């Protein structure tokens, strides 16, 4: 079978090409990908090529499919893995398999297994590690966003605290404590806010900072303070373009923050996070830098006498994904807030290589169609000359400007197929 796929051939070398897939073995599944959301981690893999820790050194000779936040449906199943799925089943995957200690993952390491493709071959290690997840939701994009949302949940779960004189870590954020999310109104920050307000363990005070007034305004509209109050959380959005750490500390009457998430690999932001920590405060350096020499100054006096500490998580685990899917099924979390752009498979190369320069949140790709990457906010203007965008504008406007299952269904039924 032929698949149309975007593959990494080297540093800054992404190509949309037709690939001949091998026949599946008894231990593999052939699947049709429907949606994939672009991740900054894919940008890092694209620009680093074989220098990336998950991308093979010989990627120039053996290109790999890119994309790891995907959802699709099963086409055919090898006889040894029939217990995991049947043809027609929807699925999503946990990309971080750590199979026998390896860092190999879809979107980085496999020639025929990645999210930015029409068809893929899912190898046996995905099933052996429990990283193949059946998905019963209505919308494919919700399955794609399970991976980035699992990273958010994982961030909360890997924070920890200690009682004085007791050397046992209590995992998770401080319930009823003070939390800050710095540079926190990007797509992952929005996911963090959603889980902070609706997860099983919530702070009493949540302060979200950024320096982009438009993104702050959008976040405040998505998460009104009155709605947060109903969840028992006092929520503040603060523009730190002209604010210091001391200004942010005033929100806590000088007590500091029990949990601080740093959502951008920027030295002053990291150092502000460290300055905000209360005694036994935990700072999660969530944003992965591209520079392996990235560093920042931390107050080691507070580490010693105040037991402040640092953690980080590169991704979530399978349990995090399962928790998100269960909460999404109960409508407790809605990752639609992350999505600001939609496009087809032919938009992936340019969008991925320019991801840091494209404003907004998540860029959602439908791999079976041809469509330029398009901001949801531009649908109405484009709809003056294109009936498809006119209808998408009507659907999204009726849903507070957010993507939805209805929008996805209409797009898949009416967009131009990607072709051979």
């Amino acid at each position: 079978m032929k698949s149309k796929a975007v593959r990494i051939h080297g540093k800054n070398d992404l190509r949309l090409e037709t690939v001949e897939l091998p026949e599946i073995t008894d231990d593999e599944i052939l699947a049709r990908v429907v949606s994939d959301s672009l991740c900054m981690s894919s940008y890092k893999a694209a620009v680093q090529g074989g220098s990336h820790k998950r991308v093979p050194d010989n990627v120039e000779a053996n290109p790999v499919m890119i994309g790891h936040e995907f959802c699709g449906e099963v086409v055919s199943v090898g006889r040894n893995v029939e217990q995991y799925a049947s043809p027609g089943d929807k699925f999503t995957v946990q990309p971080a398999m750590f199979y026998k200690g390896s860092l190999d993952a879809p979107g980085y390491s496999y020639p025929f297994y990645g999210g930015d493709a029409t068809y893929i071959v899912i190898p046996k290690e995905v099933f052996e590690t429990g990283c193949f997840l059946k998905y019963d939701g209505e919308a494919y994009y919700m399955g794609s966003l399970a991976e980035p949302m699992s990273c958010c949940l994982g961030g909360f779960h890997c924070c920890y605290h200690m009682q004085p004189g007791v050397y046992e870590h209590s995992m998770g954020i401080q319930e009823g404590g003070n939390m800050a999310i710095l540079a926190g109104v990007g797509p992952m920050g929005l996911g963090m806010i959603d889980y902070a307000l609706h997860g099983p363990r919530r702070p009493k005070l949540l302060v979200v900072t950024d320096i982009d007034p438009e993104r702050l305004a959008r976040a405040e509209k998505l998460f009104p303070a009155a709605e947060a109050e109903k969840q028992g959380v006092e929520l503040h959005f603060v523009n730190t373009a002209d604010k210091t750490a001391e200004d942010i500390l005033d929100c806590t009457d000088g007590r500091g923050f029990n949990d601080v998430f740093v959502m951008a690999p920027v030295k002053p932001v990291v150092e502000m996070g460290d300055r905000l920590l209360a005694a036994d405060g935990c700072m999660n350096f969530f944003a992965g830098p591209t520079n392996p020499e990235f560093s920042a100054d931390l107050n080691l006096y507070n580490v010693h006498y105040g037991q402040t500490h640092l953690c980080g998580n590169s991704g979530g685990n399978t349990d995090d994904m399962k928790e998100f899917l269960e909460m999404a099924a109960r409508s407790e979390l809605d990752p639609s807030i992350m999505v600001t752009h939609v496009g087809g498979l032919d938009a992936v190369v340019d969008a991925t290589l320019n991801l840091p320069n494209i404003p907004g949140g998540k860029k959602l790709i439908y791999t079976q169609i041809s469509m330029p990457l398009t901001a949801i906010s531009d649908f109405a203007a484009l709809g003056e000359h294109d009936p498809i965008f006119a209808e998408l504008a009507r659907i999204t406007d009726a849903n507070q400007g957010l993507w939805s299952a209805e929008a996805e269904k209409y797009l898949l039924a009416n967009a131009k197929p990607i072709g051979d």
Side-chain angles (χ1 to χ4, degrees), residues 398-418:
N399 191 42
Q400 297 183 306
L402 300 178
W403 195 246
S404 65
E406 182 184 0
E408 175 183 277
K409 184 176 180 181
Y410 176 81
L411 180 66
L412 291 176
N414 292 279
K416 178 184 176 182
I418 188 66

Side-chain angles (χ1 to χ4, degrees), residues 81-116:
V81 289
E82 290 177 343
Q83 69 270 34
Y84 297 106
S86 300
D89 285 347
K90 289 181 182 177
F91 74 94
T92 186
V93 301
Q94 165 57 260
M97 296 180 293
F98 301 110
Y99 181 67
K100 297 181 179 180
S102 171
L103 291 177
D104 286 357
Y108 303 92
S109 316
Y110 291 87
F112 308 116
Y113 179 41
D116 289 314

Side-chain angles (χ1 to χ4, degrees), residues 39 58 107 121 143 147 169 188 193 203-204 218 221 253-254 260 272 320 387 389 398 414:
C39 176
N58 64 347
V121 175
E147 197 283 333
H169 294 174
M188 301 304 286
I193 299 168
K204 182 178 180 181
R218 180 175 184 264
K221 182 179 179 181
D253 294 326
V260 174
M272 174 181 279
D320 298 325
F389 282 116
N414 292 279

Side-chain angles (χ1 to χ4, degrees), residues 70-71 90-94 130-151 153 195 317-335:
F70 57 94
C71 185
K90 289 181 182 177
F91 74 94
T92 186
V93 301
Q94 165 57 260
C131 290
F132 179 88
L133 302 175
K134 290 177 69 173
Y135 169 65
D136 297 324
E138 178 184 4
Y140 288 97
Y141 80 92
M142 295 284 276
S144 282
L145 294 175
E147 197 283 333
M149 282 300 298
S150 78
C151 299
L153 273 62
Y195 191 64
N317 62 27
T318 306
D319 287 339
D320 298 325
M321 289 191 72
K322 290 178 178 177
E323 181 184 354
F324 162 73
L325 291 170
E326 291 169 0
M327 293 184 70
R330 298 191 297 266
S331 299
E332 293 172 352
L333 295 175
D334 183 7

